[in-house]
Amino acid sequence: MISIAPPNPPWITLETTSKPEGYLSYYYSDDISPLPIRWVTKPGDNKSDPNIETSTYGLFSTCSPNMRRGVVKSRRPYIFFITNRNGVRVLTGYYYIQWYAEGAFSGGWDFCIAANGMRFINPPISLEEIDRRFGSTLSRYFRPFKEIPHAICLELKALLDSRKDFTSAYLEEIDRLERFNLRHGGYRYLGWKQNDKFSWEYASEYLIRYFQESSVQVTHKRAKNSNPENKWICSECNYIFINKSLLRRCPNCGELASLQAEDSLGMAMKGGL
Ligand SMILES: [Zn+2]
């Protein structure tokens, strides 16, 4: 089997500037876990990013499209992950992005990004402590992401690199909570009926389009990744379901980028912002 993991196609190397910048990226973490892993058990809105199993972001979800586009277009490779633990905003880890690929919602705004380096720590470090240490203002409220300058990126990376690497413990904890979902809901991810663990083998179902078509056709306007009723319809199989976020694949037929918001009149709402 041909590997679809970077640096193989469809992945493209992200060329960075001499003083690359980055982002703080907020994610929901799982309250039932002692480690601040992503919210695997979130009802009606299971989280697949940051996907540390593949060290990617946006390959399996439609979260933070503007940040992903900024990484690619503005060549900002650093992503520092922030979450809320007991009311306190904390830094948990980072990605150093080295590759990107165009996402299934084509049109130049949807990118998947992949890291060449990552590290997640425990206990996480409060943003207030970081601000005291570096004279920064990272603890000011933002959602869901914020640009940060080169110098702060270097400070945060050095700080995280000085702490013990808990990434493998995070991976075990993600698997444990996925098995909790499986036991209680029948799927590791009920939202899109997924029983497999995330892996590069599983990712082929998301990237297969690149090997079926020489170029992805621009058929989709910029898709809304949420809608007031959380109701979505598949243009391929007409399956209708409820989920808080737009999914990349139809949970029923597996088609990519085929879902759109459905309003209360049963009319699909196409495109728009
Ligand atoms: Zn479908």
Side-chain angles (χ1 to χ4, degrees):
M1 182 185 161
I2 301 165
S3 174
I4 52 147
N8 297 308
W11 297 94
I12 299 164
T13 299
L14 181 70
E15 306 288 349
T16 58
T17 58
S18 59
K19 291 188 175 177
E21 301 178 330
Y23 292 96
L24 293 185
S25 176
Y26 185 87
Y27 69 98
Y28 289 107
S29 56
D30 212 308
D31 286 344
I32 68 171
S33 171
L35 290 173
I37 63 164
R38 66 173 190 259
W39 199 349
V40 167
T41 64
K42 188 176 184 195
D45 192 25
N46 306 142
K47 294 300 179 189
S48 57
D49 274 312
N51 193 268
I52 65 174
E53 297 93 317
T54 53
S55 54
T56 62
Y57 199 107
L59 176 53
F60 305 105
S61 87
T62 62
C63 292
S64 290
N66 294 339
M67 180 185 77
R68 289 184 274 115
R69 190 179 65 248
V71 167
V72 175
K73 300 287 187 188
S74 300
R75 300 188 289 161
R76 295 192 181 105
Y78 293 102
I79 302 180
F80 295 94
F81 292 104
I82 305 299
T83 192
N84 185 321
R85 298 300 272 181
N86 304 312
V88 178
R89 286 197 155 202
V90 295
L91 173 68
T92 63
Y94 74 84
Y95 274 179
Y96 186 83
I97 300 295
Q98 190 164 349
W99 300 280
Y100 68 94
E102 192 168 344
F105 294 97
S106 52
W109 60 271
D110 179 32
F111 295 95
C112 324
I113 50 181
N116 187 24
M118 68 175 168
R119 191 182 195 88
F120 289 83
I121 62 161
N122 195 58
I125 309 166
S126 85
L127 294 188
E128 288 184 358
E129 183 187 332
I130 288 168
D131 284 348
R132 277 196 298 276
R133 187 187 283 244
F134 301 126
S136 51
T137 55
L138 307 184
S139 58
R140 284 188 194 156
Y141 184 82
F142 69 92
R143 278 280 284 280
F145 63 88
K146 163 160 118 175
E147 292 163 22
I148 48 172
H150 177 65
I152 295 288
C153 292
L154 296 186
E155 301 274 26
L156 295 183
K157 182 174 183 295
L159 179 62
L160 289 164
D161 284 342
S162 74
R163 303 289 169 99
K164 187 172 177 234
D165 187 1
F166 269 73
T167 308
S168 57
Y170 276 53
L171 288 166
E172 284 172 23
E173 187 62 7
I174 288 169
D175 180 58
R176 186 180 75 85
L177 291 193
E178 287 178 353
R179 284 185 281 112
F180 175 91
N181 282 348
L182 190 59
R183 197 160 58 243
H184 296 289
Y187 294 94
R188 281 180 184 258
Y189 293 92
L190 178 60
W192 50 95
K193 299 184 178 177
Q194 176 184 339
N195 272 333
D196 296 321
K197 287 166 68 87
F198 285 107
S199 65
W200 281 108
E201 191 180 7
Y202 180 72
S204 67
E205 295 179 26
Y206 284 76
L207 289 168
I208 195 74
R209 174 169 294 195
Y210 298 95
F211 302 98
Q212 292 173 331
E213 300 170 24
S214 55
S215 66
V216 178
Q217 290 177 356
V218 180
T219 52
H220 295 269
K221 290 183 183 171
R222 185 169 173 148
K224 293 169 79 167
N225 71 352
S226 64
N227 78 78
E229 297 186 40
N230 302 325
K231 203 170 176 186
W232 306 93
I233 182 166
C234 173
S235 59
E236 286 296 313
C237 70
N238 293 323
Y239 179 68
I240 295 172
F241 67 101
I242 305 284
N243 196 71
K244 190 152 187 298
S245 312
L246 171 63
L247 301 179
R248 288 201 167 271
R249 287 174 78 214
C250 171
N252 190 46
C253 71
E255 181 66 18
L256 289 163
S258 64
L259 301 172
Q260 51 204 355
E262 209 216 36
D263 68 17
S264 54
L265 301 171
M267 302 279 287
M269 298 186 292
K270 290 185 179 176
L273 284 168

PDB file of all heavy atoms in Angstrom, residues 13 21 55 66 70 72 79 85 89 92 94 129 134 158 170 177 196 206 209 217 224:
ATOM      1  N   THR A  13       5.343  20.626   1.157  1.00  0.00           N
ATOM      2  CA  THR A  13       6.152  21.220   2.226  1.00  0.00           C
ATOM      3  C   THR A  13       5.787  22.695   2.416  1.00  0.00           C
ATOM      4  O   THR A  13       5.676  23.438   1.441  1.00  0.00           O
ATOM      5  CB  THR A  13       7.653  21.102   1.892  1.00  0.00           C
ATOM      6  OG1 THR A  13       7.970  19.714   1.778  1.00  0.00           O
ATOM      7  CG2 THR A  13       8.519  21.727   2.977  1.00  0.00           C
ATOM      8  N   GLU A  21       6.161  32.892  12.488  1.00  0.00           N
ATOM      9  CA  GLU A  21       5.213  33.186  13.562  1.00  0.00           C
ATOM     10  C   GLU A  21       4.301  31.993  13.789  1.00  0.00           C
ATOM     11  O   GLU A  21       4.495  30.939  13.186  1.00  0.00           O
ATOM     12  CB  GLU A  21       4.420  34.440  13.195  1.00  0.00           C
ATOM     13  CG  GLU A  21       5.335  35.630  12.988  1.00  0.00           C
ATOM     14  CD  GLU A  21       4.604  36.886  12.579  1.00  0.00           C
ATOM     15  OE1 GLU A  21       3.554  36.786  11.919  1.00  0.00           O
ATOM     16  OE2 GLU A  21       5.082  37.967  12.931  1.00  0.00           O
ATOM     17  N   SER A  55      -0.643  13.526  14.056  1.00  0.00           N
ATOM     18  CA  SER A  55      -0.058  14.884  14.169  1.00  0.00           C
ATOM     19  C   SER A  55      -0.557  15.819  13.057  1.00  0.00           C
ATOM     20  O   SER A  55       0.226  16.498  12.401  1.00  0.00           O
ATOM     21  CB  SER A  55       1.472  14.874  14.270  1.00  0.00           C
ATOM     22  OG  SER A  55       2.074  14.185  13.231  1.00  0.00           O
ATOM     23  N   ASN A  66      -9.982  29.157   9.325  1.00  0.00           N
ATOM     24  CA  ASN A  66      -9.206  30.383   9.102  1.00  0.00           C
ATOM     25  C   ASN A  66      -7.781  30.258   9.634  1.00  0.00           C
ATOM     26  O   ASN A  66      -6.845  30.795   9.051  1.00  0.00           O
ATOM     27  CB  ASN A  66      -9.907  31.575   9.752  1.00  0.00           C
ATOM     28  CG  ASN A  66     -11.235  31.866   9.084  1.00  0.00           C
ATOM     29  OD1 ASN A  66     -11.457  31.463   7.937  1.00  0.00           O
ATOM     30  ND2 ASN A  66     -12.125  32.535   9.794  1.00  0.00           N
ATOM     31  N   GLY A  70      -4.414  30.404   7.428  1.00  0.00           N
ATOM     32  CA  GLY A  70      -3.337  31.311   7.833  1.00  0.00           C
ATOM     33  C   GLY A  70      -1.989  30.609   7.940  1.00  0.00           C
ATOM     34  O   GLY A  70      -0.959  31.173   7.557  1.00  0.00           O
ATOM     35  N   VAL A  72      -0.992  28.188   6.152  1.00  0.00           N
ATOM     36  CA  VAL A  72      -0.517  27.942   4.779  1.00  0.00           C
ATOM     37  C   VAL A  72      -0.184  29.255   4.071  1.00  0.00           C
ATOM     38  O   VAL A  72       0.923  29.426   3.543  1.00  0.00           O
ATOM     39  CB  VAL A  72      -1.570  27.141   3.987  1.00  0.00           C
ATOM     40  CG1 VAL A  72      -1.141  26.980   2.528  1.00  0.00           C
ATOM     41  CG2 VAL A  72      -1.800  25.783   4.646  1.00  0.00           C
ATOM     42  N   ILE A  79       1.941  26.076  16.184  1.00  0.00           N
ATOM     43  CA  ILE A  79       0.608  26.097  16.802  1.00  0.00           C
ATOM     44  C   ILE A  79       0.760  25.626  18.243  1.00  0.00           C
ATOM     45  O   ILE A  79       1.223  24.510  18.498  1.00  0.00           O
ATOM     46  CB  ILE A  79      -0.395  25.182  16.073  1.00  0.00           C
ATOM     47  CG1 ILE A  79      -0.532  25.586  14.599  1.00  0.00           C
ATOM     48  CG2 ILE A  79      -1.759  25.253  16.751  1.00  0.00           C
ATOM     49  CD1 ILE A  79      -1.504  24.720  13.820  1.00  0.00           C
ATOM     50  N   ARG A  85      -8.982  24.282  31.939  1.00  0.00           N
ATOM     51  CA  ARG A  85      -9.052  23.232  32.953  1.00  0.00           C
ATOM     52  C   ARG A  85      -9.534  23.876  34.244  1.00  0.00           C
ATOM     53  O   ARG A  85      -8.827  24.723  34.810  1.00  0.00           O
ATOM     54  CB  ARG A  85      -7.691  22.554  33.174  1.00  0.00           C
ATOM     55  CG  ARG A  85      -7.155  21.858  31.951  1.00  0.00           C
ATOM     56  CD  ARG A  85      -8.067  20.758  31.434  1.00  0.00           C
ATOM     57  NE  ARG A  85      -7.847  19.446  32.018  1.00  0.00           N
ATOM     58  CZ  ARG A  85      -8.553  18.359  31.665  1.00  0.00           C
ATOM     59  NH1 ARG A  85      -9.527  18.447  30.759  1.00  0.00           N
ATOM     60  NH2 ARG A  85      -8.321  17.199  32.222  1.00  0.00           N
ATOM     61  N   ARG A  89      -7.165  28.938  31.918  1.00  0.00           N
ATOM     62  CA  ARG A  89      -6.622  28.669  30.584  1.00  0.00           C
ATOM     63  C   ARG A  89      -5.171  28.214  30.688  1.00  0.00           C
ATOM     64  O   ARG A  89      -4.358  28.883  31.323  1.00  0.00           O
ATOM     65  CB  ARG A  89      -6.710  29.931  29.727  1.00  0.00           C
ATOM     66  CG  ARG A  89      -8.135  30.188  29.308  1.00  0.00           C
ATOM     67  CD  ARG A  89      -8.180  31.141  28.153  1.00  0.00           C
ATOM     68  NE  ARG A  89      -9.414  30.912  27.422  1.00  0.00           N
ATOM     69  CZ  ARG A  89      -9.606  31.244  26.148  1.00  0.00           C
ATOM     70  NH1 ARG A  89      -8.644  31.814  25.469  1.00  0.00           N
ATOM     71  NH2 ARG A  89     -10.742  30.992  25.570  1.00  0.00           N
ATOM     72  N   THR A  92      -0.976  23.351  26.739  1.00  0.00           N
ATOM     73  CA  THR A  92      -0.780  21.899  26.875  1.00  0.00           C
ATOM     74  C   THR A  92       0.276  21.320  25.945  1.00  0.00           C
ATOM     75  O   THR A  92       0.848  20.276  26.237  1.00  0.00           O
ATOM     76  CB  THR A  92      -2.097  21.139  26.616  1.00  0.00           C
ATOM     77  OG1 THR A  92      -2.521  21.374  25.266  1.00  0.00           O
ATOM     78  CG2 THR A  92      -3.182  21.571  27.584  1.00  0.00           C
ATOM     79  N   TYR A  94       2.337  21.672  21.646  1.00  0.00           N
ATOM     80  CA  TYR A  94       2.490  22.389  20.369  1.00  0.00           C
ATOM     81  C   TYR A  94       2.642  21.426  19.202  1.00  0.00           C
ATOM     82  O   TYR A  94       2.970  20.256  19.382  1.00  0.00           O
ATOM     83  CB  TYR A  94       3.702  23.337  20.415  1.00  0.00           C
ATOM     84  CG  TYR A  94       5.067  22.654  20.346  1.00  0.00           C
ATOM     85  CD1 TYR A  94       5.632  22.298  19.123  1.00  0.00           C
ATOM     86  CD2 TYR A  94       5.787  22.375  21.505  1.00  0.00           C
ATOM     87  CE1 TYR A  94       6.876  21.673  19.060  1.00  0.00           C
ATOM     88  CE2 TYR A  94       7.028  21.752  21.451  1.00  0.00           C
ATOM     89  CZ  TYR A  94       7.569  21.397  20.226  1.00  0.00           C
ATOM     90  OH  TYR A  94       8.775  20.757  20.163  1.00  0.00           O
ATOM     91  N   GLU A 129       0.660  32.286  34.311  1.00  0.00           N
ATOM     92  CA  GLU A 129       2.053  32.033  34.700  1.00  0.00           C
ATOM     93  C   GLU A 129       3.001  32.374  33.542  1.00  0.00           C
ATOM     94  O   GLU A 129       4.070  32.968  33.746  1.00  0.00           O
ATOM     95  CB  GLU A 129       2.223  30.563  35.105  1.00  0.00           C
ATOM     96  CG  GLU A 129       3.638  30.247  35.582  1.00  0.00           C
ATOM     97  CD  GLU A 129       3.872  28.750  35.818  1.00  0.00           C
ATOM     98  OE1 GLU A 129       2.901  28.030  36.140  1.00  0.00           O
ATOM     99  OE2 GLU A 129       5.024  28.317  35.653  1.00  0.00           O
ATOM    100  N   PHE A 134       7.048  35.826  30.807  1.00  0.00           N
ATOM    101  CA  PHE A 134       7.547  36.439  29.566  1.00  0.00           C
ATOM    102  C   PHE A 134       7.047  37.865  29.330  1.00  0.00           C
ATOM    103  O   PHE A 134       7.393  38.474  28.322  1.00  0.00           O
ATOM    104  CB  PHE A 134       7.161  35.574  28.360  1.00  0.00           C
ATOM    105  CG  PHE A 134       7.700  34.177  28.418  1.00  0.00           C
ATOM    106  CD1 PHE A 134       6.866  33.076  28.292  1.00  0.00           C
ATOM    107  CD2 PHE A 134       9.069  33.956  28.616  1.00  0.00           C
ATOM    108  CE1 PHE A 134       7.374  31.777  28.358  1.00  0.00           C
ATOM    109  CE2 PHE A 134       9.578  32.659  28.677  1.00  0.00           C
ATOM    110  CZ  PHE A 134       8.728  31.577  28.549  1.00  0.00           C
ATOM    111  N   ALA A 158      10.515  26.474  23.729  1.00  0.00           N
ATOM    112  CA  ALA A 158      11.601  26.113  24.647  1.00  0.00           C
ATOM    113  C   ALA A 158      11.034  25.679  26.001  1.00  0.00           C
ATOM    114  O   ALA A 158      11.516  24.714  26.615  1.00  0.00           O
ATOM    115  CB  ALA A 158      12.555  27.296  24.811  1.00  0.00           C
ATOM    116  N   TYR A 170      -1.036  10.860  26.373  1.00  0.00           N
ATOM    117  CA  TYR A 170      -2.224  11.456  25.751  1.00  0.00           C
ATOM    118  C   TYR A 170      -2.849  10.460  24.768  1.00  0.00           C
ATOM    119  O   TYR A 170      -4.071  10.293  24.719  1.00  0.00           O
ATOM    120  CB  TYR A 170      -1.859  12.733  24.980  1.00  0.00           C
ATOM    121  CG  TYR A 170      -1.774  14.027  25.762  1.00  0.00           C
ATOM    122  CD1 TYR A 170      -0.980  14.139  26.909  1.00  0.00           C
ATOM    123  CD2 TYR A 170      -2.451  15.159  25.325  1.00  0.00           C
ATOM    124  CE1 TYR A 170      -0.883  15.340  27.592  1.00  0.00           C
ATOM    125  CE2 TYR A 170      -2.359  16.370  26.008  1.00  0.00           C
ATOM    126  CZ  TYR A 170      -1.570  16.459  27.138  1.00  0.00           C
ATOM    127  OH  TYR A 170      -1.473  17.653  27.807  1.00  0.00           O
ATOM    128  N   LEU A 177     -10.723   6.752  26.174  1.00  0.00           N
ATOM    129  CA  LEU A 177     -12.031   7.413  26.105  1.00  0.00           C
ATOM    130  C   LEU A 177     -12.789   7.044  24.829  1.00  0.00           C
ATOM    131  O   LEU A 177     -14.021   7.024  24.817  1.00  0.00           O
ATOM    132  CB  LEU A 177     -11.882   8.924  26.245  1.00  0.00           C
ATOM    133  CG  LEU A 177     -11.443   9.371  27.642  1.00  0.00           C
ATOM    134  CD1 LEU A 177     -11.616  10.872  27.801  1.00  0.00           C
ATOM    135  CD2 LEU A 177     -12.195   8.645  28.758  1.00  0.00           C
ATOM    136  N   ASP A 196     -13.034   2.779  13.824  1.00  0.00           N
ATOM    137  CA  ASP A 196     -11.578   2.657  13.749  1.00  0.00           C
ATOM    138  C   ASP A 196     -10.916   3.727  14.595  1.00  0.00           C
ATOM    139  O   ASP A 196     -11.458   4.811  14.774  1.00  0.00           O
ATOM    140  CB  ASP A 196     -11.102   2.840  12.296  1.00  0.00           C
ATOM    141  CG  ASP A 196     -11.626   1.748  11.387  1.00  0.00           C
ATOM    142  OD1 ASP A 196     -11.673   0.586  11.841  1.00  0.00           O
ATOM    143  OD2 ASP A 196     -12.001   2.065  10.246  1.00  0.00           O
ATOM    144  N   TYR A 206     -10.156   9.747   3.818  1.00  0.00           N
ATOM    145  CA  TYR A 206     -10.332  11.200   3.720  1.00  0.00           C
ATOM    146  C   TYR A 206      -9.520  11.813   2.589  1.00  0.00           C
ATOM    147  O   TYR A 206      -9.836  12.886   2.101  1.00  0.00           O
ATOM    148  CB  TYR A 206      -9.949  11.869   5.049  1.00  0.00           C
ATOM    149  CG  TYR A 206     -11.004  11.684   6.114  1.00  0.00           C
ATOM    150  CD1 TYR A 206     -11.150  10.473   6.782  1.00  0.00           C
ATOM    151  CD2 TYR A 206     -11.877  12.720   6.424  1.00  0.00           C
ATOM    152  CE1 TYR A 206     -12.132  10.292   7.736  1.00  0.00           C
ATOM    153  CE2 TYR A 206     -12.857  12.563   7.385  1.00  0.00           C
ATOM    154  CZ  TYR A 206     -12.983  11.347   8.039  1.00  0.00           C
ATOM    155  OH  TYR A 206     -13.959  11.177   8.980  1.00  0.00           O
ATOM    156  N   ARG A 209      -9.676  10.981  -2.514  1.00  0.00           N
ATOM    157  CA  ARG A 209     -10.079  11.784  -3.667  1.00  0.00           C
ATOM    158  C   ARG A 209      -8.884  12.228  -4.500  1.00  0.00           C
ATOM    159  O   ARG A 209      -8.957  12.320  -5.713  1.00  0.00           O
ATOM    160  CB  ARG A 209     -10.849  13.002  -3.163  1.00  0.00           C
ATOM    161  CG  ARG A 209     -11.184  13.978  -4.231  1.00  0.00           C
ATOM    162  CD  ARG A 209     -12.159  15.002  -3.734  1.00  0.00           C
ATOM    163  NE  ARG A 209     -13.446  14.411  -3.431  1.00  0.00           N
ATOM    164  CZ  ARG A 209     -14.553  15.112  -3.259  1.00  0.00           C
ATOM    165  NH1 ARG A 209     -14.531  16.410  -3.359  1.00  0.00           N
ATOM    166  NH2 ARG A 209     -15.676  14.520  -2.975  1.00  0.00           N
ATOM    167  N   GLN A 217     -12.119  19.201  -8.266  1.00  0.00           N
ATOM    168  CA  GLN A 217     -12.950  20.209  -8.906  1.00  0.00           C
ATOM    169  C   GLN A 217     -13.481  21.207  -7.884  1.00  0.00           C
ATOM    170  O   GLN A 217     -13.841  20.835  -6.783  1.00  0.00           O
ATOM    171  CB  GLN A 217     -14.130  19.538  -9.607  1.00  0.00           C
ATOM    172  CG  GLN A 217     -13.682  18.747 -10.828  1.00  0.00           C
ATOM    173  CD  GLN A 217     -14.844  18.035 -11.483  1.00  0.00           C
ATOM    174  OE1 GLN A 217     -15.964  18.078 -10.986  1.00  0.00           O
ATOM    175  NE2 GLN A 217     -14.563  17.386 -12.587  1.00  0.00           N
ATOM    176  N   LYS A 224     -20.410  26.647   5.347  1.00  0.00           N
ATOM    177  CA  LYS A 224     -20.578  27.037   6.750  1.00  0.00           C
ATOM    178  C   LYS A 224     -20.265  25.809   7.596  1.00  0.00           C
ATOM    179  O   LYS A 224     -20.759  24.729   7.303  1.00  0.00           O
ATOM    180  CB  LYS A 224     -22.021  27.468   7.007  1.00  0.00           C
ATOM    181  CG  LYS A 224     -22.400  28.744   6.278  1.00  0.00           C
ATOM    182  CD  LYS A 224     -23.887  28.976   6.360  1.00  0.00           C
ATOM    183  CE  LYS A 224     -24.286  29.550   7.715  1.00  0.00           C
ATOM    184  NZ  LYS A 224     -25.680  30.068   7.675  1.00  0.00           N
TER     185      LYS A 224
END
